[in-house]
Amino acid sequence: TLFRSTLSVLLGVDLGSVDEDDDESLTSPPPPPPAKKESKPEPMEEDLPENKKQALKAKELGNEAYKKRNFEDALKHYEEAKTLDPTNMMYITNQAAVYFEQANYEKCRELCKQAIEVGRENREDYQQIAKAYARIGNSFLKEEKYKEAVQFYNKSLAEHRTPDVLKKCQQAEKILKEQERLAYINPDLALEEKNKGNECFQKGDYPQAMKHYTEAIKRNPNDAKLYSNRAACYTKLLEFQLALKDCEECIRLDPTFIKGYTRKASALEAMKDFTKAMDVYQKALDFDSNCKEATDGVKRCMMSQYYRSDNPEDVKRRAMGDPEVQQIMSDPAMRLILEQMQKDPQALGEHLKNPVIAQKIQKLMDVGLIAIR
């Protein structure tokens, strides 16, 4: 036995709720809050001016009413608190929370912006400013105005980053991106781009043809033939992995489209993965037994596999361009097995009894990295 081997990678949190715990929340972040923040959460009652004491009491009454969903009373108490202590933005954001619950999002936003102004003027903690911006973002999200929601979530994150706001921002961005993608779809324009791509392909201008096919795919992403056409360009440009990816998408969209199989097999053949190429050509023949392209492909692969005699460096370079081969060769266990097989060819029989290892060894054989005579 002679063997050759080359061993040389929505919306779970309710940001619309009342900030009844805002006072205490300043101590919650991982980094220890500065002395200024520690002094704000629990001000000693006797140290507060009378107006602030009365404002806090009014706020607590508002919170109790809010919990009971008695929103009219909650608003009255928060208004009283705001009147008693107009420098505290939390009373305004609590009012905004009530309007958020009442689905009066315009009023909610108006009060949040007012709260931010008051907060800025009175050097309020950045976390409270962030909450106000986040609530504006939530209000736009409720109205499915995703662009505006993203804008205000980002403003909130710029003040203070929290996982829940970041998650909502990412979700809104995802929805916005999908909306833009769907709005871009236009089969008529896709056909125009496809025809331009065909013209360029016939002239041998494969890079330009690829650009037109890519635009056509954006305009009509469910047309399987467009992926097949772009795969042909990639094959001409020797970008075989990209060709394979497009062929697989083509087959997924239309499992009966024969060119998806023949072009995939052609790419595999060019990569000298003859075993897989023959399997794919055979799938094309299962749909059409008279497919000359598939029949000729099988014959070529059989002959190439029989007569293959490659330069070891070429084999290594080509094989290591395959992600599956890269994964196999980066596995320490497989490297030990291959080293053992080099020293003791008889060990091959034992390793082949393990189906997982046998499959990996077969892959290395298919790409020519290992040859067993």
Side-chain angles (χ1 to χ4, degrees):
T1 303
L2 170 68
F3 117 13
R4 177 180 82 238
S5 67
T6 305
L7 303 174
S8 49
V9 183
L10 178 59
L11 305 174
V13 180
D14 180 12
L15 294 179
S17 60
V18 166
D19 302 318
E20 59 175 299
D21 296 324
D22 279 348
D23 295 1
E24 290 75 24
S25 70
L26 299 180
T27 61
S28 63
K36 185 184 103 174
K37 295 178 190 173
E38 288 177 358
S39 65
K40 277 192 89 168
E42 297 179 10
M44 299 298 291
E45 188 81 17
E46 59 270 22
D47 293 339
L48 288 175
E50 187 60 30
N51 68 312
K52 290 184 181 289
K53 291 180 186 177
Q54 295 303 318
L56 284 171
K57 288 178 183 178
K59 173 199 166 187
E60 290 306 318
L61 291 173
N63 288 350
E64 289 173 17
Y66 180 91
K67 287 177 182 177
K68 296 174 184 176
R69 300 190 68 79
N70 185 347
F71 295 135
E72 291 307 316
D73 282 356
L75 284 172
K76 289 176 185 175
H77 291 302
Y78 292 142
E79 181 62 31
E80 182 185 354
K82 184 175 74 171
T83 302
L84 287 164
D85 183 5
T87 65
N88 192 326
M89 70 174 283
M90 284 189 291
Y91 304 144
I92 307 173
T93 55
N94 283 8
Q95 285 182 312
V98 175
Y99 285 110
F100 184 93
E101 289 298 320
Q102 292 178 323
N104 187 342
Y105 302 121
E106 192 63 43
K107 184 65 175 177
C108 170
R109 290 192 285 268
E110 179 189 323
L111 286 168
C112 283
K113 290 175 183 178
Q114 184 185 129
I116 291 167
E117 287 181 14
V118 170
R120 298 281 194 215
E121 289 170 5
N122 293 278
R123 300 180 180 276
E124 183 57 79
D125 187 271
Y126 58 85
Q127 293 183 47
Q128 300 305 324
I129 303 291
K131 285 183 180 182
Y133 276 130
R135 183 163 289 134
I136 295 175
N138 290 343
S139 72
F140 281 121
L141 194 67
K142 284 285 188 179
E143 294 180 323
E144 299 183 356
K145 296 177 179 178
Y146 301 108
K147 187 175 181 180
E148 291 85 350
V150 168
Q151 178 187 349
F152 281 93
Y153 283 143
N154 280 326
K155 286 187 176 185
S156 174
L157 292 167
E159 296 290 334
H160 178 62
R161 292 181 75 82
T162 57
D164 47 357
V165 176
L166 180 61
K167 182 181 177 183
K168 282 192 173 188
C169 186
Q170 291 171 339
Q171 289 171 335
E173 285 175 331
K174 186 176 179 182
I175 295 169
L176 184 61
K177 187 175 180 180
E178 179 62 11
Q179 284 183 338
E180 290 172 350
R181 185 188 71 82
L182 293 174
Y184 200 70
I185 292 175
N186 185 320
D188 292 335
L189 292 178
L191 182 59
E192 287 182 20
E193 291 295 331
K194 178 188 175 184
N195 290 336
K196 289 177 184 177
N198 291 347
E199 289 174 13
C200 291
F201 190 91
Q202 293 299 324
K203 294 175 185 176
D205 188 351
Y206 305 121
Q208 194 61 34
M210 183 194 68
K211 289 180 182 178
H212 287 300
Y213 290 140
T214 298
E215 181 63 20
I217 287 169
K218 289 179 183 177
R219 291 293 188 178
N220 193 4
N222 293 320
D223 186 343
K225 293 179 181 179
L226 296 174
Y227 292 93
S228 174
N229 287 6
R230 190 170 68 174
C233 287
Y234 282 136
T235 300
K236 292 288 187 181
L237 295 168
L238 308 182
E239 294 283 359
F240 303 122
Q241 290 294 342
L242 293 174
L244 286 177
K245 186 178 177 182
D246 270 0
C247 288
E248 284 160 9
E249 182 64 13
C250 169
I251 292 167
R252 186 189 71 79
L253 290 169
D254 186 355
T256 64
F257 185 55
I258 293 175
K259 274 197 174 181
Y261 296 98
T262 57
R263 282 179 172 160
K264 179 179 179 180
S266 177
L268 289 166
E269 186 181 350
M271 295 166 71
K272 297 190 183 296
D273 196 340
F274 301 119
T275 302
K276 278 190 179 179
M278 283 191 286
D279 289 343
V280 180
Y281 278 132
Q282 187 56 53
K283 286 179 182 177
L285 289 169
D286 290 343
F287 286 105
D288 180 6
S289 58
N290 297 317
C291 179
K292 188 174 184 303
E293 189 177 351
T295 303
D296 291 346
V298 171
K299 290 177 182 176
R300 281 195 311 274
C301 288
M302 290 178 69
M303 295 297 290
S304 297
Q305 203 165 35
Y306 186 79
Y307 289 111
R308 74 184 300 164
S309 175
D310 297 326
N311 180 294
E313 285 302 314
D314 290 339
V315 171
K316 176 184 174 182
R317 185 174 60 254
R318 183 171 59 245
M320 293 308 290
D322 184 333
E324 189 178 347
V325 172
Q326 291 174 16
Q327 189 174 11
I328 293 171
M329 296 305 293
S330 65
D331 181 354
M334 275 303 298
R335 294 177 73 89
L336 284 173
I337 289 169
L338 292 170
E339 288 172 7
Q340 185 184 1
M341 287 166 60
Q342 275 186 316
K343 295 173 185 176
D344 179 14
Q346 298 302 319
L348 176 63
E350 281 301 311
H351 291 307
L352 291 177
K353 291 178 182 178
N354 183 323
V356 176
I357 293 173
Q359 185 180 13
K360 292 179 178 179
I361 290 174
Q362 183 61 53
K363 172 64 180 179
L364 297 180
M365 289 171 60
D366 290 343
V367 298
L369 209 53
I370 289 178
I372 297 173
R373 305 282 189 233

